[in-house]
Amino acid sequence: MSQTLNQHAPLRFITAGSVDDGKSTLIGRLLYDSKALLSDQLLSLDKSKNKGEVIDFSILTDGLEAEREQGITIDVAYRYFSTAKRKFIIADTPGHEQYTRNMVTGASTASAAVVLIDASQLDFSQPELQLLPQTKRHSAILKHLGTPHILVAINKMDLLNFDQTKFHAIQQTYLKLSQQLGISNVQFVPVSALQGDNIVHQSERTPWYQGDTLLSILENLPSNENISIAKQDFHFPVQLVIRLDQDKADDFRGYQGRIEAGSIATGDNVRIEPNGYHSKVVEIISPNGIVQQAIAGEQVTLRLADDIDISRGDSFVAEHSTITPTKNATATLCWFDQRPLNLARKYLLKHCTQTVFAKISGIDHVLDVKTLSKSNEAETLTLNDIGEVHVSLQKPITATSYAQNQATGAFILIDEATYHTVAAGMIL
């Protein structure tokens, strides 16, 4: 895939930041100014505009707020829109600490994140400017998730009279934060989501800002089509085993799933983990029929030359792959549950298509999002904590590091009593 094609592939991005930073308003303004609204939505907003009222763009994403008021479980809401240059998928995630898990869900598949900072909430009288804790927490999560591109939208600049000095003060403070977290590739845009400055159209009120608008930057970002995944060793977690043996002359046995890395061709030798069996691929069936080759990201059914005892959760890897099963792992864990981590308890660990019992055997450290220091004396993880832990498994999983492959390096922990997802993990 050429870089030109890659740049114009659909882009998934999220909005992140603290409560009331203007995430919903920014999404609404982006949809409105890019002419991406339905006619009835556009008519409603235009009526408010014609009456001279201040348009409340956040009503375009009020669905989640209504759900929250009714006490309903809140999921990530996705908004779809396109411009002449590109298609976009926005993951609209809430900023409240209570819903950090939704932010992790949205960010896990995003190629970029727009981190909003409400400039009006910061105290410029302090000797050292401090960002809000949730801004730091979301930034830390984006780092651990490996989000490739961070756009910092410094919002509500209209309330600061578009003060260039204050913009640069916030910029330097976030750059310091990004250096501490190890985040690279950060871009900054001074915006007013409510009034539309530098969202879709260049603002005349920021002559000192020579960069592109937020939409223009998003249109030209490379998407997270990780071409290197296709060059890695073949990795295929089995999702479903298909048997059709009515006709003894053709005892069909196929293994369905998605190729998470590398490629496979008819005649290739594979190793089946965790048992270490060896066989050869004799047929590849795609949704469009029989093919000779398939690559990462494709859903296929594979047939082997040998009848082997293979179940859901097993993995096919390249014959000489260095990927091996393991019963122990070190991981970064983001804790989602109101009840703290219990080191004496067993949890269910879901990795790819496999679910096994697991225990957290130790905690190396927990990140303090206010100071960005690491506590080495933590005995548990509480709601929204981010920590580095050791995981012991009852059965081996065929995993990679999260940095190598997000699909095969990620897992979730589930409470075996309530079946609530209590944590998300990234293998180191």
Side-chain angles (χ1 to χ4, degrees):
M1 182 184 293
S2 69
Q3 186 173 356
T4 302
L5 289 173
N6 195 32
Q7 283 182 334
H8 292 84
L11 181 76
R12 289 177 175 266
F13 71 94
I14 72 160
T15 54
S18 192
V19 179
D20 295 329
D21 278 350
K23 295 181 292 298
S24 296
T25 301
L26 182 136
I27 293 174
R29 170 62 79 173
L30 196 58
L31 297 173
Y32 180 79
D33 283 357
S34 61
K35 311 298 182 185
L37 296 175
L38 298 175
S39 57
D40 59 335
Q41 295 173 313
L42 195 59
L43 182 62
S44 175
L45 293 179
D46 283 340
K47 283 181 179 178
S48 298
K49 184 178 181 181
N50 293 334
K51 291 178 181 178
E53 301 173 358
V54 176
I55 300 177
D56 182 7
F57 291 102
S58 66
I59 64 174
L60 297 172
T61 54
D62 269 350
L64 282 178
E65 293 177 15
E67 290 176 7
R68 191 178 305 129
E69 290 169 359
Q70 295 172 37
I72 302 172
T73 301
I74 299 171
D75 202 350
V76 179
Y78 292 93
R79 302 290 186 267
Y80 303 84
F81 78 102
S82 61
T83 65
K85 292 187 67 174
R86 194 169 206 171
K87 294 180 179 179
F88 297 94
I89 303 171
I90 310 174
D92 181 17
T93 61
H96 196 282
E97 285 187 31
Q98 183 179 351
Y99 303 106
T100 299
R101 70 187 71 188
N102 292 349
M103 181 268 173
V104 176
T105 301
S108 64
T109 58
S111 298
V114 178
V115 178
L116 275 86
I117 296 177
D118 181 351
S120 68
Q121 289 193 48
L122 304 183
D123 186 357
F124 292 92
S125 65
Q126 296 295 320
E128 186 174 348
L129 188 64
Q130 293 294 323
L131 299 174
L132 297 178
Q134 194 70 338
T135 302
K136 296 180 180 180
R137 178 180 285 108
H138 280 191
S139 298
I141 291 171
L142 292 171
K143 164 59 181 176
H144 286 299
L145 289 173
T147 306
H149 306 284
I150 308 295
L151 279 64
V152 179
I154 300 177
N155 191 25
K156 304 186 184 181
M157 287 296 296
D158 52 308
L159 300 181
L160 300 181
N161 296 317
F162 295 92
D163 190 313
Q164 181 181 6
T165 302
K166 291 180 178 178
F167 170 79
H168 285 309
I170 300 172
Q171 183 182 36
Q172 292 305 312
T173 303
Y174 193 90
L175 281 173
K176 182 179 178 181
L177 169 68
S178 64
Q179 290 170 358
Q180 288 177 288
L181 292 174
I183 296 175
S184 57
N185 200 6
V186 182
Q187 299 185 64
F188 297 86
V189 186
V191 304
S192 169
L194 184 63
Q195 300 185 13
D197 295 270
N198 294 323
I199 303 295
V200 173
H201 307 294
Q202 204 83 32
S203 174
E204 296 180 353
R205 297 191 286 183
T206 54
W208 43 267
Y209 173 68
Q210 302 300 314
D212 292 329
T213 63
L214 183 68
L215 179 61
S216 179
I217 294 173
L218 290 169
E219 284 181 327
N220 292 288
L221 282 180
S223 64
N224 196 25
E225 297 289 341
N226 195 345
I227 301 173
S228 65
I229 294 294
K231 297 179 181 178
Q232 292 179 9
D233 284 344
F234 175 66
H235 197 152
F236 175 81
V238 176
Q239 182 174 356
L240 182 66
V241 180
I242 300 177
R243 289 290 307 276
L244 295 173
D245 56 1
Q246 292 100 343
D247 183 1
K248 294 184 179 180
D250 183 18
D251 182 9
F252 182 95
R253 188 193 298 257
Y255 307 98
Q256 287 189 334
R258 185 177 73 175
I259 301 174
E260 299 295 358
S263 62
I264 192 69
T266 303
D268 284 354
N269 294 318
V270 294
R271 192 175 77 240
I272 298 93
E273 296 293 2
N275 296 315
Y277 300 132
H278 291 259
S279 189
K280 178 183 293 186
V281 175
V282 296
E283 190 174 51
I284 305 171
I285 305 171
S286 77
N288 297 319
I290 297 174
V291 296
Q292 295 302 309
Q293 186 175 23
I295 62 173
E298 293 189 72
Q299 308 275 354
V300 295
T301 301
L302 301 182
R303 297 186 68 188
L304 301 180
D306 307 286
D307 287 338
I308 300 174
D309 182 13
I310 298 172
S311 305
R312 173 185 169 88
D314 291 346
S315 290
F316 295 2
V317 297
E319 184 178 29
H320 301 294
S321 173
T322 57
I323 301 172
T324 55
T326 181
K327 293 180 67 176
N328 297 282
T330 302
T332 297
L333 209 61
C334 184
W335 194 256
F336 295 155
D337 201 28
Q338 294 283 354
R339 290 178 294 182
L341 165 66
N342 187 339
L343 295 179
R345 284 194 58 189
K346 290 188 300 182
Y347 295 92
L348 293 171
L349 183 146
K350 180 170 174 48
H351 170 264
C352 293
T353 59
Q354 187 177 15
T355 302
V356 300
F357 281 109
K359 288 185 68 175
I360 304 302
S361 55
I363 301 173
D364 275 350
H365 60 254
V366 177
L367 179 69
D368 184 332
V369 295
K370 294 182 180 179
T371 63
L372 298 181
S373 62
K374 296 178 180 179
S375 171
N376 298 316
E377 300 177 356
E379 297 180 354
T380 186
L381 296 178
T382 58
L383 181 65
N384 295 327
D385 275 348
I386 301 170
E388 186 174 310
V389 301
H390 297 287
V391 185
S392 298
L393 307 170
Q394 187 181 54
K395 296 180 181 179
I397 59 173
T398 308
T400 65
S401 69
Y402 186 83
Q404 181 180 349
N405 187 334
Q406 294 184 3
T408 55
F411 63 87
I412 59 173
L413 287 183
I414 303 168
D415 187 313
E416 64 169 328
T418 64
Y419 282 93
H420 291 165
T421 299
V422 297
M426 290 75 72
I427 298 173
L428 300 174

